[in-house]
């Protein structure tokens, strides 16, 4: 039975405020511009972002004979829910960039530009400013332009306080340098770069542990090594720039702060490493350790005839993983399947190059472990 | 007070099933491949998609001296909620592509590739297959490759049956052909291309009207012109390929089916139109009519010294808009601010070219109306 509503319906009355959204869109511009080089063509009010390839100029003329565009898309999973619960939004902005650029550089690519999709129930300018500031920060640190994005207000999909994020990154790689599993050989060395904790995978399980074990996100737990200012233990490495909340080193961090530590951005060191070897392709293969863990991701760099044998005792397990495992009574294999366990990014290199690559990456601020070797096999990663 | 859960926690037990997700990811491959040309480099198991620029080959050597990459990001708003309610998912896949490629082509660009982000509470293979089939279909019809995507399972963010979508599209345009408001002149003609109904904006209001007025999504309402097989009235035009449910022409469509009609894809006719004028840039400006309506989007194509005068009686108003306005008691200005009102895409052309452009677009399957003129002004669109 059809009935007409008593009052007339408008868009704002249905929960969407176009004026407020337009005002915010303008305020975003300055944050985006801070990430732009002169390759971004200003396009105010435009329907899409414009990025010059500099086809005849510096980038292409010198570095690219047969450029391949590389593109990927990722979100940060239910880490957004934790951010929403704790009302801290800049760090997941960095996570969003990291989840994408870390995938992109696996192909040997350098990042060019990034776009974001933010879905929220309402326009909350403070929230969006924090979030986009984090995204812009991650883009600047990764050498890519934040070219644009979309902010969607969907009060019927997202509960009050909830939101979701998706990111999209485009880079470029010379065809001959595209990473290929066939480049990997028996005897190659697997180098692991320390993660900054959990990064952005497994948060549905993390939050379930917090809930089931009755953990307090606002509490400082003694399990974390706070004295060093490295909440996740020694394996978090020589992080030159603090990536999160501006606390002095050694300040105790709450469980919530530890769990919101942003995903480490590997683009800058990996791109610099490759530029250091302009002729020789120094890297046999790479992997970003995300959902499915070390074994599930490193195997993506292997040909079907080789295995990687990884010594899981070759780096220290960050405290946050042991803490979650104990409180969640999580089986050891499940831990390795869901979490990065302290290694956020892997490189496979010839044994003769291993030390040189490790030293360069250490100088670039990474904590590097030799974690394994390539053997004959069937494309598996064996954790020992 | 911390307590350990009685049973051990696993990722699957927390609502995320990695095995099931991996199986689906493999089944997606064939749908993606149907959209690929030889410019897409196969990269099974890769962390990112690879797209050859063909720098020295056909595309670039012949058509591009100074290529500019164009990128945009968009979702389909709360139309996903309607799709979820009606359990029809392929059409919003087309919407997702259309919302992006229609923005992209406004810059004069041709689409190259597309990526999607799908967020759901659980892995539902049938749902995902329908959705991605729609996305792949939209990509093929727009001449772009579906290069990859991300499927996120987030049971804590999305309620059972809910989901969200974001799309990202990259295209290329020759620098000299990038659309610029300064190209528009007094006396230029505004051509409007008929929409296929509501497209993908204003669905929070649409669904509010349905709810407040107690409308039945499963009912065939007499207001819609079903005899012609064009549920939204005459303005939906000579759509060569049926875009939605496979019903014979003239079959009555329910309100739900009318509201889920996918957004019209303008990429193919607009790209073909421009290729028909390889030397002369025939188009002064373009606009994709999305949220904020005709005035709010067409003004983005104008310089600050010119207005567009649009005669709102110059095309028939599709029945779906009158229907919603009546049932929602929506003020006329609000209708124009939220909905496309029958015009989904605009072109601004010199008066001497208007007839030729309109004829070509008509041959390419579009329904074209001359809806306005450019006058001196202040960058406004005046609806009369």
């Amino acid at each position: 039975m059809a009935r007409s509503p008593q009052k007339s319906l408008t868009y704002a009355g249905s929960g969407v405020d176009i004026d407020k959204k337009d005002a915010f869109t303008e305020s975003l511009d300055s944050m985006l511009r801070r990430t732009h080089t002169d390759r971004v063509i200003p396009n105010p009010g435009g329907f899409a972002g414009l990025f010059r390839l500099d086809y005849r100029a510096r980038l292409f003329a010198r570095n690219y004979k047969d450029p391949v565009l590389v593109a990927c898309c990722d979100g940060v999973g239910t880490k957004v829910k934790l951010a929403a619960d704790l009302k801290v939004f800049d760090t997941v902005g960095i996570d969003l960039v990291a989840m994408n650029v870390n995938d992109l550089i696996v192909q040997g690519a350098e990042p060019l530009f990034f776009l974001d999709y933010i879905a929220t129930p309402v326009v909350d300018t403070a929230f969006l400013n924090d979030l986009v500031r984090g995204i812009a920060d991650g883009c600047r640190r990764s050498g890519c332009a934040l070219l644009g994005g979309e902010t969607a207000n969907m009060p019927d999909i997202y509960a009050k306080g909830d939101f979701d994020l998706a990111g999209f990154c485009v880079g470029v790689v010379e065809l001959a340098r595209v990473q290929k599993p066939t480049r990997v050989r028996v005897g190659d060395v697997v180098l692991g770069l320390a993660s900054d904790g959990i990064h952005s995978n497994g948060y549905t399980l993390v939050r379930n542990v917090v809930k089931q074990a009755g953990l307090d996100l606002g509490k400082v737990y003694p399990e974390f090594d706070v004295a060093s200012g490295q909440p996740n233990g020694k394996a978090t490495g020589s992080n030159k720039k603090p990536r999160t909340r501006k606390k002095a080193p050694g300040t105790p961090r709450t469980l919530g702060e530890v769990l919101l530590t942003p995903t480490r951005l590997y683009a800058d060191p990996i791109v610099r490493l490759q530029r250091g070897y302009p002729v020789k392709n120094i890297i046999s293969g790479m992997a970003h350790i995300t959902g499915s863990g070390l074994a599930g991701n490193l195997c993506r760099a292997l040909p079907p005839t080789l295995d990687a044998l990884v010594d899981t005792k070759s780096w220290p397990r960050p405290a946050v993983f042991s803490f979650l495992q104990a409180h969640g009574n999580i089986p050891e294999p499940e831990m390795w399947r869901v979490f990065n366990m302290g290694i956020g990014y892997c490189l496979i290199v010839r044994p003769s190059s291993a030390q040189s690559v490790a030293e360069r990456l250490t100088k670039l601020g990474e904590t590097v472990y030799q974690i394994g070797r390539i053997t004959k096999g069937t494309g598996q990663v064996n954790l020992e």
Side-chain angles (χ1 to χ4, degrees), chain A:
Chain A
M1 184 183 68
R3 61 182 172 83
S4 281
Q6 291 311 299
K7 64 178 181 64
S8 71
L9 294 177
T10 65
Y11 212 42
S14 300
V16 177
D17 187 334
I18 293 174
D19 284 339
K20 204 171 175 186
K21 191 179 160 183
D22 286 350
F24 170 68
T25 303
E26 284 166 30
S27 86
L28 275 186
D29 278 355
S30 70
M31 280 192 271
L32 267 68
R33 271 196 303 268
R34 287 191 302 138
T35 71
H36 291 178
T37 64
D38 53 10
R39 294 174 70 185
V40 175
I41 301 174
N43 187 24
F47 286 79
L50 302 173
F51 190 91
R52 277 186 85 152
L53 274 178
D54 281 346
Y55 185 69
R56 292 168 299 191
R58 184 179 49 83
L59 176 71
F60 276 84
R62 215 158 57 201
N63 299 328
Y64 292 93
K65 284 182 186 152
D66 203 347
V68 173
L69 292 182
V70 184
C72 61
C73 168
D74 209 350
V76 303
T78 50
K79 196 168 182 177
V80 293
K81 190 82 181 174
L82 190 70
D85 290 346
L86 293 166
K87 300 198 192 314
V88 173
F89 305 110
D90 54 343
T91 59
V92 285
I94 296 175
D95 284 312
L96 184 66
V97 177
M99 290 301 284
N100 282 281
V101 296
N102 292 351
D103 271 0
L104 195 84
I105 57 173
V106 167
Q107 303 300 332
E110 63 169 317
L112 296 176
F113 59 81
F114 187 85
L115 293 97
D116 63 84
Y117 172 81
I118 304 170
T120 62
V122 291
V123 177
D124 175 340
T125 313
F127 152 75
L128 288 169
N129 269 297
D130 279 359
L131 193 52
V132 176
R133 194 179 62 244
I135 294 171
D137 189 19
C139 284
R140 270 207 325 281
R141 288 199 224 162
S142 306
C144 70
L146 178 52
L147 200 56
E150 167 69 8
T151 308
N153 308 122
M154 300 166 71
D156 299 337
I157 300 279
Y158 298 93
K160 189 162 180 270
D162 270 0
F163 66 103
D164 197 11
L165 294 178
F168 167 73
C169 195
V170 171
V172 65
V173 60
E174 174 63 25
L175 181 61
R177 287 210 167 211
V178 171
Q179 292 299 304
K180 283 193 199 90
T182 50
R183 205 170 278 137
V184 180
R185 285 191 210 150
V186 169
D188 278 0
V189 167
V190 182
L191 298 176
L193 305 189
S195 67
D196 280 348
I198 301 172
H199 287 182
S200 305
N201 290 100
Y203 276 82
T204 299
L205 177 54
V206 169
R207 293 177 47 257
N208 206 1
V209 171
V210 169
K211 188 179 165 193
Q212 299 277 336
L215 298 175
D216 179 356
L217 292 170
K219 184 176 164 183
V220 175
Y221 284 86
E223 285 88 338
F224 300 111
D225 174 17
V226 294
S228 70
Q230 292 168 2
N232 301 324
K234 293 180 181 67
T236 51
S238 55
N239 217 341
K240 280 178 185 168
K241 302 170 196 162
R243 285 174 192 283
T244 103
R245 319 275 81 210
K246 281 149 197 89
K247 284 199 171 186
T251 307
R253 301 208 312 166
T254 63
L255 176 61
E257 288 171 323
V258 169
L259 295 179
L260 275 188
T261 305
T263 307
R264 194 166 179 89
L265 295 156
Y266 297 105
D268 184 64
I270 295 296
V271 169
R272 281 176 195 268
L273 172 75
Q274 291 175 291
R275 284 191 190 145
Y277 300 90
V279 180
K280 193 175 160 191
N281 191 349
I282 197 79
I283 301 164
S284 309
M286 294 190 274
H288 177 208
I289 311 306
T290 60
S292 309
L294 186 56
N297 287 286
L298 183 54
C299 71
R300 298 160 79 177
L302 300 176
T305 55
L306 299 179
D307 279 3
L309 182 64
V310 172
D311 175 5
T312 59
K313 298 285 184 292
S314 57
W315 72 93
R317 181 182 297 197
V320 66
F321 297 111
S322 308
F323 177 86
L324 289 170
Q325 182 171 21
H327 283 281
N329 191 21
I330 303 168
E332 181 74 5
E334 182 75 359
M335 290 296 294
W336 286 92
R337 203 169 176 235
V338 175
F339 298 115
N340 68 59
M341 302 301 277
I343 297 295
Y345 196 87
C346 289
L347 299 95
I348 305 174
V349 296
R350 299 280 179 264
S352 58
S353 306
Q355 194 175 344
S356 152
V357 167
E359 280 170 9
R360 278 182 193 249
L361 286 170
T362 304
K363 275 186 194 153
L364 291 165
E366 298 306 306
T367 302
V368 189
Y369 302 99
Q370 183 169 325
I371 66 170
R373 283 263 177 185
I374 301 300
T375 63
K376 283 187 184 171
T378 56
Q380 308 295 309
V381 174
N382 303 304
L383 303 175
E384 295 217 330

